[in-house]
């Protein structure tokens, strides 16, 4: 993952996932009033997509990593490749758990949430252990990736016990999107393919400026998602609403992509 494309690829996937989760959360929130008992067969396109994307990432890390690492002198670059491989592996496992969830809803939902929580927490731990000998700006950028991963895990823990919370579901979607966008921004900050003389990797001021960019990214994502929520609310309000119907999302929660 030590190049520009290797940051853009997972970042784009995380961003797409965040947008996808937001759309499904808002759709399910509105359909619980309009079509409470609607059950549509869930096609396993999403889990297969996760598996294929993560498998591609794992193969790319395999080709760049040194298989004889432990027989040679220490190399933090090769160790980092194996850390990246582990991250892809964890998220590929969530794809398989998603397949189980689509077939066995009662057991699968808990298994799926636990796999996601584990994947984001371990990803964050690996990024925090990914900083040895790196410049100050590099360390700060990767810490922010780790912190956003921990925030995603906390949202998922809350959603596991409160699956009908639209606030938690929307916040989860926003943080996943920020997680992905920050991946992309780190690629431009640290490994830009264009001439970039602005960022000084050993500058404390630029490390602080990276924090500001991260906050602006979060504010921008929340703003855009709020606009999407307003548009979807206007769209679904065209349907007659029965306020006596249950507002509870049964067992699958708001994130279910039916």
């Amino acid at each position: 993952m030590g190049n520009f494309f290797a940051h853009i690829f997972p970042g784009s996937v995380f961003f797409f996932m965040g947008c996808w989760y937001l759309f499904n959360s808002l759709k399910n929130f509105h359909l619980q009033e309009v079509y409470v008992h609607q059950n549509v067969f869930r096609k396993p396109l999403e889990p297969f997509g996760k598996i294929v994307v993560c498998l591609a990432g794992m193969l790319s890390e395999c080709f760049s990593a040194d298989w004889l690492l432990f027989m040679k002198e220490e190399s933090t670059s090769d160790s980092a490749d194996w850390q990246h491989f582990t991250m892809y592996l964890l998220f590929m496992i969530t794809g398989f758990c998603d397949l189980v969830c689509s077939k066995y809803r009662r057991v699968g939902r808990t298994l799926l949430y636990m796999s996601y929580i584990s994947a984001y927490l371990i990803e964050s731990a690996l990024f925090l252990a990914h900083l040895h000998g790196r410049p100050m700006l590099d360390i700060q950028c990767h810490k922010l990736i780790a912190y956003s991963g921990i925030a995603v895990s906390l949202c998922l823990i809350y959603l596991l016990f409160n699956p009908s919370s639209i606030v938690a579901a929307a916040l989860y979607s926003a943080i996943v999107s920020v997680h992905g966008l920050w991946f992309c921004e780190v690629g431009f900050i640290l490994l830009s393919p264009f001439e970039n003389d602005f960022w000084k990797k050993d500058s404390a001021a630029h490390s602080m400026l990276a924090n500001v960019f991260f906050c602006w990214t979060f504010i921008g994502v929340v703003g855009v998602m709020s606009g999407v929520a307003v548009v979807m609310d206007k769209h679904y309000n065209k349907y007659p609403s029965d306020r006596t119907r249950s507002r509870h999302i049964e067992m699958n929660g708001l994130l279910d992509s039916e």
Side-chain angles (χ1 to χ4, degrees), residues 39-202:
N39 289 311
V40 181
F41 177 73
R42 180 179 180 179
K43 297 180 180 179
L45 296 177
E46 181 184 338
F48 280 127
K50 294 175 191 173
I51 293 169
V52 171
V53 167
C54 292
L55 184 59
M58 290 169 61
L59 290 174
S60 69
E61 296 297 338
C62 286
F63 286 123
S64 62
D66 190 343
W67 287 86
L68 301 177
L69 170 64
F70 302 107
M71 298 174 62
K72 297 183 177 181
E73 296 181 0
E74 293 184 3
S75 169
T76 56
S77 176
D78 288 323
S79 298
D81 288 335
W82 286 113
Q83 287 185 334
H84 300 149
F85 176 90
T86 304
M87 295 174 194
Y88 280 118
L89 176 62
L90 289 164
F91 283 101
M92 187 174 73
I93 290 173
T94 67
F96 286 109
C97 292
D98 209 347
L99 286 174
V100 174
C101 180
S102 64
K103 189 171 181 61
Y104 306 101
R105 289 297 179 96
R106 293 186 179 278
V107 177
R109 177 180 167 272
T110 302
L111 178 64
L112 179 62
Y113 271 73
M114 295 308 298
S115 68
Y116 266 109
I117 292 167
S118 301
Y120 279 107
L121 284 177
I122 296 174
E123 178 208 32
S124 301
L126 288 173
F127 270 122
L128 290 174
H130 196 64
L131 310 174
H132 301 293
R134 291 174 178 255
M136 187 181 302
L137 178 61
D138 196 331
I139 290 174
Q140 187 59 31
C141 286
H142 283 84
K143 279 184 176 180
L144 291 171
I145 293 176
Y147 295 156
S148 61
I150 294 171
V152 172
S153 300
L154 293 176
C155 284
L156 284 170
I157 292 171
Y158 184 84
L159 280 167
L160 178 62
F161 299 102
N162 301 275
S164 60
S165 172
I166 185 60
V167 175
L171 183 61
Y172 166 72
S173 305
I175 298 176
V176 172
S177 297
V178 170
H179 192 64
L181 283 176
W182 188 245
F183 257 103
C184 298
E185 290 179 52
V186 169
F188 280 102
I189 292 172
L190 301 178
L191 301 160
S192 176
F194 311 107
E195 186 175 349
N196 182 6
D197 297 326
F198 175 77
W199 293 99
K200 303 295 187 289
K201 293 186 178 181
D202 290 311

